[in-house]
Amino acid sequence: QVQLIESGGGLVQAGGSLRLSCAASGRIFSNVPMAWFRQAPGKEREFVAALRWSGSRQIYAESVKGRFAISRDNAKNMMYLHMNNLRPEDTAVYYCAAKNIILPTTSLALSTTSRDYDTWGQGTQVTVSS
């Protein structure tokens, strides 16, 4: 089974940058969707960005377009979230996610819904001060 571990979170001043990393172990199929989500205290988990393990298609939440960039390094089994011009409202625990359970009826379309992903990391805290 695929296992995911996030790292790179921390405390940063508004306007600063951070790069989050997601290390994946196990087999990842080339067309598998992978994503970043975040959850602020008292809030529901929300979508941030997604890609597939192959191809160039990426999708982003409107709130992070132009500021965040999702990327991957297949040779290292790593996924990244480059965060620029951070705002206090970006403060949250950030999670990486993947679809690991692939069935004949499974949709492999990129999704913004957390329930469409079945494998999650433990999360890494990002705190942005004003």
Side-chain angles (χ1 to χ4, degrees), residues 35-102:
W36 287 96
F37 287 79
R38 66 186 183 186
Q39 187 167 18
K43 304 295 184 180
E44 294 185 350
R45 189 168 299 182
E46 67 173 343
F47 172 78
V48 177
L51 50 61
R52 291 189 179 88
W53 206 238
S54 64
S56 60
R57 178 172 170 80
Q58 302 173 353
I59 58 174
Y60 294 89
E62 184 177 358
S63 61
V64 306
K65 285 182 178 179
R67 299 189 299 119
F68 291 10
I70 188 171
S71 63
R72 67 180 190 274
D73 186 335
N74 297 60
K76 297 181 179 180
N77 275 10
M78 297 287 290
M79 183 175 68
Y80 305 99
L81 184 67
H82 303 261
M83 305 185 295
N84 300 310
N85 193 24
L86 284 162
R87 306 165 180 170
E89 53 263 41
D90 294 319
T91 295
V93 176
Y94 283 71
Y95 300 88
C96 61
K99 179 171 286 295
N100 184 43
I101 302 174
I102 306 298

